[in-house]
Amino acid sequence: MLKNKRIFLIVFMFILSIALVACGDSDTDGGGGDSSDGDTISIKFAHEEGQDDVQDLYANKFKETIEEESDGKIEVEVYTAGTLGTNMDALQSLQTGAIEMAITSPGFSGDVIPESNIMSIPFLFSDDLEVNRKVLDESEALYGPLAEQYEEKGITPFKFWLEGFMWWTANKEIKTPEDMDGVKMRTMPSNLINKAYKHMGASPQDTDSGEIYTMLQTKGIDAQENPLFYVYSSNFHEVQDYLMDSKHHIYTTVTAANQEFFEGLDEEDQQMIEDAVQEVNDWSFEMQEEEAEKALEGIQEEEIELIELTSEEREAFKEMSLDVREDYKAESDIAAEILETIEKEIEEAEEEVGD
Ligand code: 6CS
């Protein structure tokens, strides 16, 4: 009996030591996340939205694509909003390497990478999504000076992309700057977005995405801006009376990696990841259009009233928002260069796509 106990103890101690060695290994990995054990590359991929939202469809399409193209050598675990803390936490985790990849929006990176606020300037991009698609895919301003600012913060940006036009929802009709006067408008936690709404006469309130519904319901805020799919999937139509076809902006974001992780990979794996991001980026344009159509259909079955703004009415808001471009340029010389270049690129793309 004693003999059996001794054998059991020896075997048990042996298994425990194996396990500890294995755990010990992952803790000491330089990038913080375990990204390669010689055969498999593991990627924790965080995004800012819920299940089946545009970013979730994108992240899972990326998972499917890269796992297939790498024959399983690269494995991806997708994390929806809130599973790894707030969207700001996810950005920080991307910088430290606690996660390997993420979709992170300028609404959350604007205060960390001020030049990324270029994406938060209302009425800067075209009313034609095809034009914006081209600029976001090819812009020298974005993939030159702006990308360098991300790299300085330990992030490798792959591709900027769009999730659709921004619409206003509110508990009152908003068609003129007078209507916007003093409106408690929910914004993402970005100084520049905050300034833009102050220029438009509103009283901006930056609120974490998870709190918007309750704040609207309890009248802590009066209004918010988001693409249609997000309005619908977050049920904002249940707590708002009006949906304004403002198209005052497009929701843009970037797919990125932790720089140390990505630069630690061999060229072949780097290329596979970049190719997969490009493939999914191209696919995402039609996907976000379909999601917007589906959402508009669903929303129109609800009580909320759809308000169309005329081009004159939109122009009045555009006029009021122009000062925010000066605020952006004041951020840095690089910011001024980025704005100047992208304004030209949008104009040229409008001529090209418009032909
Ligand atoms: O408004 C927000 O905070 C959220 N909107 C979108 C479209 N994506 C994520 C973000 O957190």
Side-chain angles (χ1 to χ4, degrees), residues 42-273:
S42 311
I43 294 178
K44 289 187 281 304
F45 190 132
H47 66 75
E48 306 164 326
E49 296 171 0
Q51 202 168 345
D52 299 331
D53 275 340
V54 163
Q55 288 186 10
D56 192 51
L57 297 174
Y58 183 111
N60 282 292
K61 183 75 175 175
F62 174 78
K63 172 183 170 64
E64 185 194 308
T65 306
I66 195 73
E67 290 183 351
E68 197 179 307
E69 282 168 12
S70 70
D71 295 325
K73 178 183 177 188
I74 302 179
E75 289 176 352
V76 177
E77 224 173 311
V78 175
Y79 293 85
T80 55
T83 48
L84 294 176
T86 68
N87 295 340
M88 295 297 279
D89 297 335
L91 174 64
Q92 223 158 34
S93 300
L94 183 66
Q95 287 184 274
T96 62
I99 58 174
E100 286 76 22
M101 286 183 70
I103 297 171
T104 179
S105 304
F108 298 97
S109 63
D111 294 355
V112 178
I113 307 165
E115 288 78 10
S116 70
N117 277 318
I118 186 74
M119 301 293 186
S120 300
I121 299 176
F123 298 103
L124 169 68
F125 284 92
S126 171
D127 293 349
D128 181 339
L129 281 184
E130 284 287 355
V131 169
N132 301 326
R133 176 190 197 172
K134 184 174 171 56
V135 172
L136 291 171
D137 198 45
E138 301 167 6
S139 162
E140 281 169 23
L142 301 183
Y143 297 105
L146 180 57
E148 282 158 25
Q149 300 312 308
Y150 277 84
E151 278 148 11
E152 277 188 17
K153 297 287 179 345
I155 295 172
T156 300
F158 295 125
K159 279 281 154 171
F160 295 89
W161 54 286
L162 60 89
E163 299 186 43
F165 279 116
M166 293 284 244
W167 296 53
W168 287 319
T169 65
N171 50 19
K172 60 179 273 191
E173 199 176 288
I174 300 179
K175 295 182 86 170
T176 65
E178 292 68 42
D179 298 335
M180 184 68 90
D181 216 21
V183 166
K184 287 184 284 183
M185 174 66 74
R186 181 269 171 175
T187 68
M188 285 182 273
S190 150
N191 279 327
L192 194 104
I193 301 176
N194 199 286
K195 284 180 187 152
Y197 275 102
K198 280 196 179 123
H199 288 307
M200 288 194 266
S203 161
Q205 322 271 323
D206 74 46
T207 315
D208 191 67
S209 37
E211 291 157 22
I212 305 172
Y213 186 93
T214 313
M215 289 289 278
L216 290 170
Q217 193 178 37
T218 57
K219 309 274 181 255
I221 49 179
D222 303 317
Q224 66 85 44
E225 58 168 3
N226 252 302
L228 285 174
F229 82 85
Y230 199 78
V231 170
Y232 192 49
S233 69
S234 311
N235 299 313
F236 295 153
H237 50 270
E238 291 173 356
V239 285
Q240 298 265 260
D241 306 320
Y242 297 92
L243 170 69
M244 269 58 68
D245 179 6
S246 52
K247 293 197 176 80
H248 58 283
H249 198 12
I250 52 172
Y251 190 98
T252 58
T253 192
V254 65
T255 306
N258 167 263
Q259 191 178 34
E260 198 181 331
F261 157 74
F262 188 67
E263 291 179 359
L265 299 174
D266 61 36
E267 260 177 51
E268 197 193 323
D269 296 330
Q270 290 180 347
Q271 194 58 51
M272 234 191 295
I273 289 174

Side-chain angles (χ1 to χ4, degrees), residues 297-316:
E297 260 169 49
I299 290 171
Q300 286 180 311
E301 281 155 23
E302 307 289 340
E303 295 295 310
I304 194 166
E305 188 179 334
L306 178 58
I307 305 288
E308 307 272 351
L309 271 71
T310 63
S311 50
E312 292 74 29
E313 285 162 342
R314 291 181 65 233
E315 196 54 34

